[in-house]
Amino acid sequence: MIKEDCIFCKIANGQIPCNFVYETDEIVAFDDLNPQAPIHTLIIPKMHFETLEDINDIKLLGKLMLAVKEVAKIKNAKNGYRTIINTKKEAGQEVFHMHIHLLAGRPMLWPPG
Ligand code: AMP
Ligand code: ZN
Protein backbone atom coordinates (compact mmCIF):
# COMPACT_ATOMS: atom_id res chain seq x y z
CA MET A 1 0.00 0.00 0.00
CA ILE A 2 1.11 3.52 -0.79
CA LYS A 3 0.03 6.61 1.15
CA GLU A 4 -0.83 9.60 -1.09
CA ASP A 5 0.72 12.34 1.02
CA CYS A 6 3.81 10.41 2.15
CA ILE A 7 7.12 11.76 0.84
CA PHE A 8 8.92 8.43 1.16
CA CYS A 9 6.11 6.62 -0.72
CA LYS A 10 6.58 9.16 -3.49
CA ILE A 11 10.35 8.61 -3.54
CA ALA A 12 10.07 4.81 -3.39
CA ASN A 13 7.55 4.68 -6.20
CA GLY A 14 9.23 7.11 -8.57
CA GLN A 15 6.91 10.11 -8.18
CA ILE A 16 9.84 12.17 -6.91
CA PRO A 17 13.09 11.69 -8.85
CA CYS A 18 15.80 10.19 -6.71
CA ASN A 19 19.06 8.33 -7.26
CA PHE A 20 18.70 5.00 -5.53
CA VAL A 21 21.79 3.58 -3.88
CA TYR A 22 20.09 0.17 -3.82
CA GLU A 23 16.78 -1.23 -5.00
CA THR A 24 14.89 -4.52 -4.89
CA ASP A 25 11.21 -5.25 -5.54
CA GLU A 26 10.42 -4.43 -1.88
CA ILE A 27 13.14 -2.06 -0.67
CA VAL A 28 14.98 1.09 -1.76
CA ALA A 29 17.86 3.06 -0.31
CA PHE A 30 18.75 6.67 -1.01
CA ASP A 31 20.95 9.33 0.54
CA ASP A 32 19.54 11.52 3.29
CA LEU A 33 18.74 15.08 2.23
CA ASN A 34 20.35 16.47 5.37
CA PRO A 35 23.30 14.16 6.05
CA GLN A 36 24.57 13.83 9.61
CA ALA A 37 27.76 12.01 8.57
CA PRO A 38 29.86 11.65 5.39
CA ILE A 39 27.74 8.59 4.60
CA HIS A 40 24.07 8.88 5.55
CA THR A 41 21.70 6.64 3.65
CA LEU A 42 18.11 5.68 4.36
CA ILE A 43 16.82 2.15 3.75
CA ILE A 44 13.05 1.89 3.44
CA PRO A 45 10.37 -0.61 2.46
CA LYS A 46 8.51 0.43 -0.71
CA MET A 47 5.24 -0.32 1.07
CA HIS A 48 3.99 2.25 3.52
CA PHE A 49 4.39 1.41 7.21
CA GLU A 50 4.28 4.31 9.65
CA THR A 51 6.75 2.93 12.14
CA LEU A 52 8.68 -0.24 12.97
CA GLU A 53 5.73 -1.12 15.21
CA ASP A 54 3.57 -1.61 12.12
CA ILE A 55 5.78 -4.21 10.40
CA ASN A 56 5.15 -7.76 11.51
CA ASP A 57 6.43 -9.49 8.38
CA ILE A 58 9.63 -11.16 9.57
CA LYS A 59 10.77 -11.79 6.01
CA LEU A 60 10.55 -8.11 5.20
CA LEU A 61 12.30 -7.20 8.46
CA GLY A 62 15.07 -9.64 7.61
CA LYS A 63 15.37 -8.26 4.09
CA LEU A 64 15.66 -4.74 5.46
CA MET A 65 18.57 -5.78 7.68
CA LEU A 66 20.27 -7.58 4.79
CA ALA A 67 19.75 -4.43 2.72
CA VAL A 68 21.60 -2.47 5.42
CA LYS A 69 24.62 -4.72 4.96
CA GLU A 70 24.44 -4.40 1.18
CA VAL A 71 24.27 -0.62 1.39
CA ALA A 72 27.22 -0.57 3.81
CA LYS A 73 29.20 -2.52 1.19
CA ILE A 74 28.06 -0.29 -1.68
CA LYS A 75 29.02 2.79 0.33
CA ASN A 76 32.33 1.22 1.35
CA ALA A 77 31.64 1.79 5.07
CA LYS A 78 34.46 -0.58 5.88
CA ASN A 79 35.47 0.97 9.22
CA GLY A 80 31.99 0.51 10.64
CA TYR A 81 28.57 2.03 10.54
CA ARG A 82 25.68 2.89 12.80
CA THR A 83 22.07 1.95 12.11
CA ILE A 84 19.22 3.85 13.71
CA ILE A 85 15.47 3.37 13.57
CA ASN A 86 13.70 6.28 15.21
CA THR A 87 10.33 4.94 16.27
CA LYS A 88 7.60 7.46 17.12
CA LYS A 89 7.89 11.10 18.20
CA GLU A 90 9.84 10.82 21.44
CA ALA A 91 12.58 8.91 19.63
CA GLY A 92 12.85 11.72 17.07
CA GLN A 93 10.90 10.22 14.18
CA GLU A 94 9.89 12.97 11.78
CA VAL A 95 8.99 11.05 8.64
CA PHE A 96 6.27 8.52 9.38
CA HIS A 97 7.26 5.95 6.78
CA MET A 98 9.53 3.43 8.47
CA HIS A 99 13.18 3.88 7.57
CA ILE A 100 16.59 2.74 8.76
CA HIS A 101 19.37 5.30 8.93
CA LEU A 102 22.83 4.07 8.01
CA LEU A 103 25.53 6.48 9.16
CA ALA A 104 29.26 6.09 8.57
CA GLY A 105 32.48 7.84 7.68
CA ARG A 106 33.23 9.41 11.07
CA PRO A 107 33.59 8.20 14.67
CA MET A 108 30.20 7.89 16.39
CA LEU A 109 29.50 9.03 19.92
CA TRP A 110 27.79 7.03 22.63
CA PRO A 111 25.31 7.57 24.17
CA PRO A 112 23.42 9.18 21.29
CA GLY A 113 21.56 12.40 21.98
P1 AMP B 1 13.57 10.60 11.17
O1 AMP B 1 13.83 11.77 12.06
O2 AMP B 1 14.15 9.32 11.70
O3 AMP B 1 12.12 10.47 10.81
O4 AMP B 1 14.40 10.86 9.86
C1 AMP B 1 13.88 11.46 8.72
C2 AMP B 1 15.05 11.71 7.81
O5 AMP B 1 14.57 11.89 6.50
C3 AMP B 1 15.86 12.96 8.16
O6 AMP B 1 17.22 12.59 8.36
C4 AMP B 1 15.68 13.86 6.93
O7 AMP B 1 16.85 14.58 6.64
C5 AMP B 1 15.35 12.85 5.86
N1 AMP B 1 14.56 13.35 4.74
C6 AMP B 1 13.42 14.07 4.78
N2 AMP B 1 12.96 14.31 3.54
C7 AMP B 1 13.84 13.72 2.69
C8 AMP B 1 13.94 13.62 1.27
N3 AMP B 1 13.04 14.18 0.47
N4 AMP B 1 14.98 12.94 0.75
C9 AMP B 1 15.91 12.39 1.53
N5 AMP B 1 15.88 12.45 2.88
C10 AMP B 1 14.87 13.11 3.45
ZN1 ZN C 1 4.92 6.08 2.89
Side-chain angles (χ1 to χ4, degrees), residues 70-89:
E70 283 303 315
V71 171
K73 252 188 229 147
I74 291 164
K75 288 286 183 177
N76 200 25
K78 54 182 183 307
N79 293 330
Y81 54 89
R82 179 168 290 175
T83 44
I84 297 169
I85 306 174
N86 294 325
T87 301
K88 302 188 183 177
K89 270 211 163 62

PDB file of all heavy atoms in Angstrom, residues 70-89:
ATOM      1  N   GLU A  70      24.124  -4.661   2.587  1.00  0.00           N
ATOM      2  CA  GLU A  70      24.442  -4.404   1.175  1.00  0.00           C
ATOM      3  C   GLU A  70      24.807  -2.944   0.962  1.00  0.00           C
ATOM      4  O   GLU A  70      25.767  -2.628   0.263  1.00  0.00           O
ATOM      5  CB  GLU A  70      23.237  -4.754   0.282  1.00  0.00           C
ATOM      6  CG  GLU A  70      23.046  -6.230   0.051  1.00  0.00           C
ATOM      7  CD  GLU A  70      24.281  -6.895  -0.559  1.00  0.00           C
ATOM      8  OE1 GLU A  70      24.858  -6.339  -1.508  1.00  0.00           O
ATOM      9  OE2 GLU A  70      24.680  -7.956  -0.045  1.00  0.00           O
ATOM     10  N   VAL A  71      24.020  -2.061   1.554  1.00  0.00           N
ATOM     11  CA  VAL A  71      24.266  -0.624   1.388  1.00  0.00           C
ATOM     12  C   VAL A  71      25.609  -0.246   2.023  1.00  0.00           C
ATOM     13  O   VAL A  71      26.376   0.542   1.462  1.00  0.00           O
ATOM     14  CB  VAL A  71      23.103   0.212   1.969  1.00  0.00           C
ATOM     15  CG1 VAL A  71      23.450   1.693   2.003  1.00  0.00           C
ATOM     16  CG2 VAL A  71      21.833  -0.013   1.155  1.00  0.00           C
ATOM     17  N   ALA A  72      25.919  -0.838   3.172  1.00  0.00           N
ATOM     18  CA  ALA A  72      27.220  -0.574   3.815  1.00  0.00           C
ATOM     19  C   ALA A  72      28.360  -0.969   2.872  1.00  0.00           C
ATOM     20  O   ALA A  72      29.369  -0.266   2.769  1.00  0.00           O
ATOM     21  CB  ALA A  72      27.318  -1.327   5.140  1.00  0.00           C
ATOM     22  N   LYS A  73      28.173  -2.075   2.159  1.00  0.00           N
ATOM     23  CA  LYS A  73      29.195  -2.525   1.187  1.00  0.00           C
ATOM     24  C   LYS A  73      29.275  -1.552   0.016  1.00  0.00           C
ATOM     25  O   LYS A  73      30.357  -1.126  -0.375  1.00  0.00           O
ATOM     26  CB  LYS A  73      28.796  -3.905   0.647  1.00  0.00           C
ATOM     27  CG  LYS A  73      29.665  -5.012   1.165  1.00  0.00           C
ATOM     28  CD  LYS A  73      29.348  -6.316   0.441  1.00  0.00           C
ATOM     29  CE  LYS A  73      29.153  -7.405   1.478  1.00  0.00           C
ATOM     30  NZ  LYS A  73      28.176  -8.397   1.088  1.00  0.00           N
ATOM     31  N   ILE A  74      28.108  -1.201  -0.527  1.00  0.00           N
ATOM     32  CA  ILE A  74      28.060  -0.294  -1.682  1.00  0.00           C
ATOM     33  C   ILE A  74      28.729   1.039  -1.342  1.00  0.00           C
ATOM     34  O   ILE A  74      29.453   1.622  -2.143  1.00  0.00           O
ATOM     35  CB  ILE A  74      26.594  -0.080  -2.137  1.00  0.00           C
ATOM     36  CG1 ILE A  74      26.032  -1.365  -2.738  1.00  0.00           C
ATOM     37  CG2 ILE A  74      26.466   1.082  -3.116  1.00  0.00           C
ATOM     38  CD1 ILE A  74      24.505  -1.389  -2.876  1.00  0.00           C
ATOM     39  N   LYS A  75      28.487   1.494  -0.118  1.00  0.00           N
ATOM     40  CA  LYS A  75      29.025   2.794   0.327  1.00  0.00           C
ATOM     41  C   LYS A  75      30.456   2.692   0.851  1.00  0.00           C
ATOM     42  O   LYS A  75      31.043   3.681   1.283  1.00  0.00           O
ATOM     43  CB  LYS A  75      28.115   3.375   1.410  1.00  0.00           C
ATOM     44  CG  LYS A  75      26.786   3.871   0.874  1.00  0.00           C
ATOM     45  CD  LYS A  75      26.992   5.166   0.112  1.00  0.00           C
ATOM     46  CE  LYS A  75      25.719   5.754  -0.384  1.00  0.00           C
ATOM     47  NZ  LYS A  75      25.962   7.043  -1.059  1.00  0.00           N
ATOM     48  N   ASN A  76      30.957   1.465   0.890  1.00  0.00           N
ATOM     49  CA  ASN A  76      32.325   1.223   1.352  1.00  0.00           C
ATOM     50  C   ASN A  76      32.544   1.693   2.799  1.00  0.00           C
ATOM     51  O   ASN A  76      33.555   2.306   3.122  1.00  0.00           O
ATOM     52  CB  ASN A  76      33.319   1.904   0.403  1.00  0.00           C
ATOM     53  CG  ASN A  76      34.715   1.329   0.522  1.00  0.00           C
ATOM     54  OD1 ASN A  76      34.891   0.181   0.929  1.00  0.00           O
ATOM     55  ND2 ASN A  76      35.709   2.131   0.199  1.00  0.00           N
ATOM     56  N   ALA A  77      31.568   1.397   3.647  1.00  0.00           N
ATOM     57  CA  ALA A  77      31.640   1.790   5.071  1.00  0.00           C
ATOM     58  C   ALA A  77      32.452   0.742   5.833  1.00  0.00           C
ATOM     59  O   ALA A  77      31.966   0.118   6.772  1.00  0.00           O
ATOM     60  CB  ALA A  77      30.227   1.934   5.642  1.00  0.00           C
ATOM     61  N   LYS A  78      33.702   0.584   5.414  1.00  0.00           N
ATOM     62  CA  LYS A  78      34.460  -0.578   5.883  1.00  0.00           C
ATOM     63  C   LYS A  78      34.969  -0.434   7.316  1.00  0.00           C
ATOM     64  O   LYS A  78      35.326  -1.420   7.952  1.00  0.00           O
ATOM     65  CB  LYS A  78      35.593  -0.921   4.921  1.00  0.00           C
ATOM     66  CG  LYS A  78      36.542   0.216   4.610  1.00  0.00           C
ATOM     67  CD  LYS A  78      37.591  -0.246   3.598  1.00  0.00           C
ATOM     68  CE  LYS A  78      38.615   0.813   3.298  1.00  0.00           C
ATOM     69  NZ  LYS A  78      38.050   2.121   2.886  1.00  0.00           N
ATOM     70  N   ASN A  79      35.014   0.794   7.840  1.00  0.00           N
ATOM     71  CA  ASN A  79      35.471   0.966   9.225  1.00  0.00           C
ATOM     72  C   ASN A  79      34.346   0.842  10.237  1.00  0.00           C
ATOM     73  O   ASN A  79      34.577   0.943  11.437  1.00  0.00           O
ATOM     74  CB  ASN A  79      36.150   2.332   9.382  1.00  0.00           C
ATOM     75  CG  ASN A  79      37.440   2.391   8.589  1.00  0.00           C
ATOM     76  OD1 ASN A  79      38.104   1.369   8.407  1.00  0.00           O
ATOM     77  ND2 ASN A  79      37.790   3.566   8.103  1.00  0.00           N
ATOM     78  N   GLY A  80      33.133   0.652   9.741  1.00  0.00           N
ATOM     79  CA  GLY A  80      31.988   0.506  10.644  1.00  0.00           C
ATOM     80  C   GLY A  80      30.878   1.450  10.272  1.00  0.00           C
ATOM     81  O   GLY A  80      31.058   2.375   9.473  1.00  0.00           O
ATOM     82  N   TYR A  81      29.729   1.175  10.823  1.00  0.00           N
ATOM     83  CA  TYR A  81      28.575   2.029  10.543  1.00  0.00           C
ATOM     84  C   TYR A  81      27.575   1.909  11.681  1.00  0.00           C
ATOM     85  O   TYR A  81      27.598   0.949  12.445  1.00  0.00           O
ATOM     86  CB  TYR A  81      27.925   1.656   9.203  1.00  0.00           C
ATOM     87  CG  TYR A  81      27.537   0.192   9.050  1.00  0.00           C
ATOM     88  CD1 TYR A  81      26.284  -0.261   9.450  1.00  0.00           C
ATOM     89  CD2 TYR A  81      28.425  -0.732   8.511  1.00  0.00           C
ATOM     90  CE1 TYR A  81      25.929  -1.597   9.300  1.00  0.00           C
ATOM     91  CE2 TYR A  81      28.081  -2.065   8.361  1.00  0.00           C
ATOM     92  CZ  TYR A  81      26.834  -2.494   8.757  1.00  0.00           C
ATOM     93  OH  TYR A  81      26.489  -3.806   8.619  1.00  0.00           O
ATOM     94  N   ARG A  82      26.736   2.901  11.782  1.00  0.00           N
ATOM     95  CA  ARG A  82      25.679   2.886  12.796  1.00  0.00           C
ATOM     96  C   ARG A  82      24.336   2.836  12.103  1.00  0.00           C
ATOM     97  O   ARG A  82      24.108   3.552  11.115  1.00  0.00           O
ATOM     98  CB  ARG A  82      25.763   4.118  13.686  1.00  0.00           C
ATOM     99  CG  ARG A  82      24.652   4.117  14.741  1.00  0.00           C
ATOM    100  CD  ARG A  82      24.892   5.159  15.813  1.00  0.00           C
ATOM    101  NE  ARG A  82      26.030   4.789  16.649  1.00  0.00           N
ATOM    102  CZ  ARG A  82      26.521   5.572  17.605  1.00  0.00           C
ATOM    103  NH1 ARG A  82      25.982   6.759  17.830  1.00  0.00           N
ATOM    104  NH2 ARG A  82      27.541   5.172  18.333  1.00  0.00           N
ATOM    105  N   THR A  83      23.436   2.008  12.628  1.00  0.00           N
ATOM    106  CA  THR A  83      22.072   1.952  12.113  1.00  0.00           C
ATOM    107  C   THR A  83      21.128   2.460  13.190  1.00  0.00           C
ATOM    108  O   THR A  83      21.294   2.133  14.374  1.00  0.00           O
ATOM    109  CB  THR A  83      21.692   0.511  11.719  1.00  0.00           C
ATOM    110  OG1 THR A  83      22.140  -0.369  12.740  1.00  0.00           O
ATOM    111  CG2 THR A  83      22.302   0.119  10.414  1.00  0.00           C
ATOM    112  N   ILE A  84      20.167   3.245  12.760  1.00  0.00           N
ATOM    113  CA  ILE A  84      19.217   3.854  13.710  1.00  0.00           C
ATOM    114  C   ILE A  84      17.815   3.741  13.121  1.00  0.00           C
ATOM    115  O   ILE A  84      17.607   4.026  11.941  1.00  0.00           O
ATOM    116  CB  ILE A  84      19.552   5.346  13.929  1.00  0.00           C
ATOM    117  CG1 ILE A  84      20.944   5.495  14.561  1.00  0.00           C
ATOM    118  CG2 ILE A  84      18.485   6.030  14.795  1.00  0.00           C
ATOM    119  CD1 ILE A  84      21.467   6.918  14.567  1.00  0.00           C
ATOM    120  N   ILE A  85      16.890   3.319  13.952  1.00  0.00           N
ATOM    121  CA  ILE A  85      15.468   3.366  13.573  1.00  0.00           C
ATOM    122  C   ILE A  85      14.765   4.200  14.627  1.00  0.00           C
ATOM    123  O   ILE A  85      14.542   3.744  15.753  1.00  0.00           O
ATOM    124  CB  ILE A  85      14.832   1.957  13.520  1.00  0.00           C
ATOM    125  CG1 ILE A  85      15.626   1.018  12.604  1.00  0.00           C
ATOM    126  CG2 ILE A  85      13.371   2.064  13.052  1.00  0.00           C
ATOM    127  CD1 ILE A  85      15.131  -0.436  12.632  1.00  0.00           C
ATOM    128  N   ASN A  86      14.471   5.442  14.290  1.00  0.00           N
ATOM    129  CA  ASN A  86      13.705   6.283  15.212  1.00  0.00           C
ATOM    130  C   ASN A  86      12.245   5.844  15.126  1.00  0.00           C
ATOM    131  O   ASN A  86      11.657   5.857  14.044  1.00  0.00           O
ATOM    132  CB  ASN A  86      13.846   7.754  14.819  1.00  0.00           C
ATOM    133  CG  ASN A  86      15.267   8.261  14.999  1.00  0.00           C
ATOM    134  OD1 ASN A  86      15.967   7.861  15.928  1.00  0.00           O
ATOM    135  ND2 ASN A  86      15.716   9.134  14.107  1.00  0.00           N
ATOM    136  N   THR A  87      11.702   5.454  16.257  1.00  0.00           N
ATOM    137  CA  THR A  87      10.332   4.940  16.266  1.00  0.00           C
ATOM    138  C   THR A  87       9.445   5.808  17.153  1.00  0.00           C
ATOM    139  O   THR A  87       9.651   5.848  18.372  1.00  0.00           O
ATOM    140  CB  THR A  87      10.317   3.464  16.728  1.00  0.00           C
ATOM    141  OG1 THR A  87      11.141   2.702  15.831  1.00  0.00           O
ATOM    142  CG2 THR A  87       8.912   2.885  16.713  1.00  0.00           C
ATOM    143  N   LYS A  88       8.554   6.533  16.518  1.00  0.00           N
ATOM    144  CA  LYS A  88       7.604   7.464  17.124  1.00  0.00           C
ATOM    145  C   LYS A  88       8.284   8.768  17.591  1.00  0.00           C
ATOM    146  O   LYS A  88       9.517   8.867  17.592  1.00  0.00           O
ATOM    147  CB  LYS A  88       6.824   6.812  18.259  1.00  0.00           C
ATOM    148  CG  LYS A  88       6.051   5.553  17.820  1.00  0.00           C
ATOM    149  CD  LYS A  88       5.162   5.085  18.946  1.00  0.00           C
ATOM    150  CE  LYS A  88       4.435   3.810  18.590  1.00  0.00           C
ATOM    151  NZ  LYS A  88       3.624   3.324  19.704  1.00  0.00           N
ATOM    152  N   LYS A  89       7.456   9.702  17.973  1.00  0.00           N
ATOM    153  CA  LYS A  89       7.889  11.096  18.202  1.00  0.00           C
ATOM    154  C   LYS A  89       9.008  11.244  19.224  1.00  0.00           C
ATOM    155  O   LYS A  89       9.985  11.938  18.983  1.00  0.00           O
ATOM    156  CB  LYS A  89       6.684  11.935  18.646  1.00  0.00           C
ATOM    157  CG  LYS A  89       5.943  12.565  17.503  1.00  0.00           C
ATOM    158  CD  LYS A  89       5.297  13.901  17.895  1.00  0.00           C
ATOM    159  CE  LYS A  89       4.932  14.694  16.657  1.00  0.00           C
ATOM    160  NZ  LYS A  89       3.947  13.997  15.806  1.00  0.00           N
TER     161      LYS A  89
END
